[in-house]
């Protein structure tokens, strides 16, 4: 599975949009981009995933560049409960649910 | 949505004893489950892949005789930390999915192990 690069930490004001970038320049054609987050002392929580089109669900939006070498997770209106570590993971279509975690981005939402 | 449940949520044990952690898929069958370990302020590290009806596959550097994995049914995998030592204290997390790279994998809530 391809490797990802994320900023170590980010801050965001409550109510503002949080934009979390991820670089995956070695991604291959059959690999999806997944985002998970982990709130302190809990198991990771699925947020969203996509292949090449932008995706949106009730939690977030995922914007994938046309060349698929990077993506951005957008939390449209961050709340204090969104404070967590966010992991961007590239996963093969043929993978049997195995996820390899990088270091992630620690997002701090402040009042 | 699909749920993966771990038990116990936390456990304290004495050095030299063994501890068993259970991971269950509650509303789906999982032929494969995964076990992760996470030390404070670090990311999740994949330890092993649990395969129903066959031997687990361990990642490099993980001692298979110390971390025994059993996947006896399609909804249950267990991780036994044998002869635990303080350095085994960590957060252990399991995951399972319904198969394929286009479906999400679900994680248990984790088990905090403290060896004293």
């Amino acid at each position: 599975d391809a490797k990802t690069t994320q900023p170590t930490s980010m801050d965001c004001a409550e109510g503002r949009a949080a934009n979390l970038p991820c670089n995956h320049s070695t991604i291959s054609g059959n690999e999806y981009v997944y985002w998970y987050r982990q709130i302190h002392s809990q198991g990771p929580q699925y947020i969203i995933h996509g292949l090449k089109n932008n995706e949106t669900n009730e939690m977030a939006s995922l914007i994938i560049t046309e060349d698929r070498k990077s993506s951005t997770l957008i939390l449209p209106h961050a709340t204090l409960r969104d404070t967590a570590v966010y992991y961007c993971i590239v996963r093969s279509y043929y993978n049997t649910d195995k996820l390899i975690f990088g270091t992630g981005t620690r997002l701090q939402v402040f009042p | 949505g699909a749920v993966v449940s771990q038990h116990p949520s936390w456990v304290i044990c004495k050095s030299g004893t063994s501890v068993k952690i259970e991971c269950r898929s509650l509303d789906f069958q999982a032929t494969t489950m995964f076990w992760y370990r996470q030390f404070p302020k670090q990311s999740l590290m994949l330890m092993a892949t649990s395969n129903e009806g066959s031997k687990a596959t361990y990642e490099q550097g993980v001692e298979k005789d110390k971390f025994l994995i059993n996947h006896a049914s399609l909804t249950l995998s267990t991780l036994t930390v044998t002869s635990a030592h303080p350095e085994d204290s960590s957060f252990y997390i399991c995951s399972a999915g319904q198969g394929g790279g286009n479906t999400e994998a679900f994680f248990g809530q984790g088990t905090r192990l403290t060896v004293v």
Side-chain angles (χ1 to χ4, degrees):
Chain A
D1 292 332
K3 187 176 178 180
T4 62
T5 305
Q6 299 177 252
T8 303
S9 63
M10 294 182 67
D11 290 339
C12 178
E14 189 176 21
R16 297 282 193 163
N19 298 289
L20 289 84
C22 179
N23 182 286
H24 32 79
S25 58
T26 58
I27 194 170
S28 61
N30 64 2
E31 290 180 318
Y32 287 79
V33 179
Y34 274 76
W35 284 83
Y36 280 79
R37 72 179 182 184
Q38 186 180 26
I39 296 169
H40 182 63
S41 294
Q42 296 182 25
Q45 176 191 22
Y46 166 81
I47 301 173
I48 199 167
H49 75 280
L51 183 62
K52 54 182 179 180
N53 296 323
N54 297 337
E55 301 288 344
T56 295
N57 63 20
E58 64 278 4
M59 288 182 69
S61 294
L62 174 60
I63 308 298
I64 302 174
T65 58
E66 193 169 342
D67 63 8
R68 303 211 319 124
K69 292 185 177 183
S70 66
S71 61
T72 301
L73 178 74
I74 301 173
L75 306 179
H77 306 286
T79 70
L80 297 177
R81 288 186 294 180
D82 292 322
T83 293
V85 178
Y86 288 76
Y87 295 99
C88 168
I89 301 167
V90 171
R91 179 180 169 204
S92 170
Y93 177 83
Y94 303 104
N95 193 294
T96 56
D97 303 309
K98 179 173 168 179
L99 296 174
I100 304 299
F101 286 78
T103 54
T105 296
R106 184 172 297 277
L107 175 68
Q108 179 69 53
V109 180
F110 57 91
Chain B
V3 176
V4 171
S5 178
Q6 261 181 264
H7 178 81
S9 296
W10 60 270
V11 58
I12 301 173
C13 73
K14 290 186 177 180
S15 194
T17 62
S18 296
V19 173
K20 180 185 286 188
I21 303 170
E22 293 186 347
C23 179
R24 294 181 184 274
S25 55
L26 297 185
D27 53 0
F28 66 100
Q29 295 182 330
T31 55
T32 307
M33 293 185 177
F34 300 90
W35 287 96
Y36 296 82
R37 179 169 54 181
Q38 186 176 35
F39 292 109
K41 300 193 177 185
Q42 294 186 24
S43 186
L44 284 77
M45 184 192 77
L46 180 66
M47 297 175 66
T49 302
S50 174
N51 304 299
E52 189 268 335
S54 65
K55 291 183 179 180
T57 306
Y58 291 82
E59 296 297 306
Q60 192 172 9
V62 177
E63 301 174 58
K64 62 180 181 180
D65 294 331
K66 181 167 186 61
F67 299 99
L68 301 180
I69 292 173
N70 184 278
H71 194 152
S73 78
L74 287 171
T75 60
L76 174 65
S77 174
T78 61
L79 169 69
T80 302
V81 183
T82 63
S83 187
H85 291 285
E87 56 265 31
D88 298 322
S89 298
S90 188
F91 193 52
Y92 293 86
I93 308 167
C94 70
S95 78
Q98 299 179 76
N102 191 25
T103 58
E104 62 188 276
F106 302 94
F107 287 80
Q109 65 268 49
T111 298
R112 174 76 56 193
L113 170 64
T114 302
V115 184
V116 297

